[in-house]
Amino acid sequence: MSTYEILEHYLTGDYQSVACPTEADYYALWHERGLDSMGPIDCALAGALLADRLPWVFTAGYQGTLRNAFPNLKPGGWAAFAATEDAHDPQAHPGTRLQDGPSGFLLSGCKSWVAHSRCVDQLIITINDEQGDKRKARGLVIDSKRRGISLTHREQPGFLGSLSQGFAKFDSTEVAVSEVFEFAPIRLFGRTEAKFVMLASAAFMLGRVPENHELRDRLIAVAGALISLITEQQTSRQVYAAIDREFQRCVDAFEACGATDTITDYAADRRLFRMYTNKIQRRGEYARNEAAGRADD
């Protein structure tokens, strides 16, 4: 199924929102509706149209991002990108390190944020460069149930609270040499996560706007623009900033039309729609200043 076919199917009555009170419910729906077998953009769109609350919108965009950036993920299930480390108490929770092992490497250390910690099937782990060079970071993909991995869970996350969020600890976990990769996929994840989550958010809003409301057309246009940005090798920063401004105007209109009244925990989770905009606008301003500097030379 092609990306725009997902939207076309929605407009003809498919991909209607399904009540999923728990993460396990949405995980089961993800499998039942065949999102495992879809491409990254398609699963982001379809998953968001099916979602009944914002944590599952994040899930749809996040899983799309991961499938797009890390092609070595196994088919099926959910993954989590575990990059965050404890900067406040690194002695108690040291960052991840690889050491030589009998048949490859041994992974030890901790990560302080793991999405879908109760449902995750695969983990994408970053290994930071000891000299602090971000572009020399490496990564690896492993099964979440591999020996030596312990996942624990936050009690009550304040944001996207229906989504399990936890911690990972690795104790001499065996890693094959072939499972380690260089920086490029990590960079791609960073470049595309916001675009995928915004795309999922646009689809979610589309699914809840009253029929014949002019906002529907605007959301479809924003979704198409975000899809184009995802496929770029280098982000057009000023264009991205303009698309984000229209996306934010769509969020304002969405909230004004009463579509949020029945969304569970909307007040606590609504910042999902806003959490990338400051960075996007800042980078757009950098690009404008760079262009003005070149024009003055």
Side-chain angles (χ1 to χ4, degrees), residues 133-153:
D133 188 337
K134 292 183 177 180
R135 294 182 178 274
K136 291 184 179 179
R138 294 176 294 164
L140 54 99
V141 175
I142 54 177
D143 188 284
S144 64
K145 295 179 176 59
R146 185 172 297 188
R147 188 177 63 81
I149 298 177
S150 300
L151 293 176
T152 54
H153 320 286

Side-chain angles (χ1 to χ4, degrees), residues 139-253:
L140 54 99
V141 175
I142 54 177
D143 188 284
S144 64
K145 295 179 176 59
R146 185 172 297 188
R147 188 177 63 81
I149 298 177
S150 300
L151 293 176
T152 54
H153 320 286
R154 286 173 168 81
E155 289 299 322
Q156 290 185 319
F159 175 54
L160 304 178
S162 298
L163 184 152
S164 61
Q165 303 169 45
F167 310 87
K169 182 177 181 180
F170 307 93
D171 184 8
S172 297
T173 302
E174 293 185 358
V175 176
V177 173
S178 61
E179 292 174 314
V180 179
F181 53 83
E182 299 301 319
F183 179 67
I186 298 171
R187 179 178 183 271
L188 183 58
F189 174 87
R191 283 186 54 246
T192 54
E193 182 189 19
K195 299 166 190 172
F196 268 97
V197 175
M198 290 169 66
L199 176 63
S201 298
F204 176 77
M205 288 188 284
L206 173 65
R208 306 186 81 88
V209 171
E211 194 170 352
N212 299 322
H213 197 294
E214 59 88 23
L215 182 56
R216 286 164 66 93
D217 291 347
R218 292 169 60 193
L219 287 165
I220 290 173
V222 166
L226 288 165
I227 289 166
S228 295
L229 283 175
I230 287 169
T231 62
E232 285 190 319
Q233 293 298 311
Q234 295 291 332
T235 299
S236 301
R237 291 174 291 170
Q238 294 187 71
V239 173
Y240 191 11
I243 292 167
D244 172 67
R245 289 192 293 273
E246 175 60 7
F247 173 82
Q248 295 302 331
R249 287 190 287 267
C250 287
V251 174
D252 291 339

Side-chain angles (χ1 to χ4, degrees), residues 2-295:
S2 69
T3 291
Y4 291 108
E5 193 175 354
I6 297 286
L7 294 176
E8 191 72 22
H9 274 254
Y10 165 72
L11 294 171
T12 55
D14 199 1
Y15 293 110
Q16 301 300 307
S17 173
V18 177
C20 290
T22 71
E23 186 177 44
D25 293 331
Y26 187 66
Y27 180 84
L29 179 67
W30 187 276
H31 291 281
E32 290 166 9
R33 293 300 298 266
L35 274 65
D36 299 272
S37 61
M38 291 182 179
I41 292 174
D42 287 350
C43 76
L45 287 168
L49 289 167
L50 291 168
D52 70 328
R53 63 198 67 200
L54 292 182
W56 315 151
V57 177
F58 173 79
T59 296
Y62 185 63
Q63 294 303 316
T65 312
L66 295 175
R67 291 289 171 185
N68 182 68
F70 303 102
N72 51 337
L73 286 170
K74 296 177 184 176
W78 285 351
F81 181 63
T84 306
E85 297 182 349
D86 187 351
H88 300 290
D89 193 355
Q91 290 188 330
H93 308 110
T96 48
R97 295 289 182 269
L98 284 176
Q99 296 178 312
D100 291 337
S103 57
F105 299 110
L106 296 176
L107 173 67
S108 298
C110 303
K111 294 295 185 183
S112 59
W113 193 76
V114 178
H116 306 299
S117 54
R118 297 186 187 276
C119 293
V120 68
D121 299 286
Q122 297 178 78
L123 297 173
I124 304 156
I125 312 299
T126 57
I127 309 297
N128 294 329
D129 174 59
E130 293 186 3
Q131 306 304 315
D133 188 337
K134 292 183 177 180
R135 294 182 178 274
K136 291 184 179 179
R138 294 176 294 164
L140 54 99
V141 175
I142 54 177
D143 188 284
S144 64
K145 295 179 176 59
R146 185 172 297 188
R147 188 177 63 81
I149 298 177
S150 300
L151 293 176
T152 54
H153 320 286
R154 286 173 168 81
E155 289 299 322
Q156 290 185 319
F159 175 54
L160 304 178
S162 298
L163 184 152
S164 61
Q165 303 169 45
F167 310 87
K169 182 177 181 180
F170 307 93
D171 184 8
S172 297
T173 302
E174 293 185 358
V175 176
V177 173
S178 61
E179 292 174 314
V180 179
F181 53 83
E182 299 301 319
F183 179 67
I186 298 171
R187 179 178 183 271
L188 183 58
F189 174 87
R191 283 186 54 246
T192 54
E193 182 189 19
K195 299 166 190 172
F196 268 97
V197 175
M198 290 169 66
L199 176 63
S201 298
F204 176 77
M205 288 188 284
L206 173 65
R208 306 186 81 88
V209 171
E211 194 170 352
N212 299 322
H213 197 294
E214 59 88 23
L215 182 56
R216 286 164 66 93
D217 291 347
R218 292 169 60 193
L219 287 165
I220 290 173
V222 166
L226 288 165
I227 289 166
S228 295
L229 283 175
I230 287 169
T231 62
E232 285 190 319
Q233 293 298 311
Q234 295 291 332
T235 299
S236 301
R237 291 174 291 170
Q238 294 187 71
V239 173
Y240 191 11
I243 292 167
D244 172 67
R245 289 192 293 273
E246 175 60 7
F247 173 82
Q248 295 302 331
R249 287 190 287 267
C250 287
V251 174
D252 291 339
F254 178 70
E255 293 184 332
C257 76
T260 66
D261 294 347
T262 60
I263 300 173
T264 300
D265 294 330
Y266 184 80
D269 296 336
R270 62 189 291 267
R271 67 184 173 95
L272 176 70
F273 292 146
R274 314 285 190 184
M275 66 182 189
Y276 303 107
T277 191
N278 287 343
K279 181 180 289 187
I280 294 167
Q281 293 304 319
R282 187 164 59 247
R283 289 177 174 174
E285 184 65 26
Y286 292 159
R288 283 191 291 275
N289 291 340
E290 289 169 6
R294 289 194 296 272

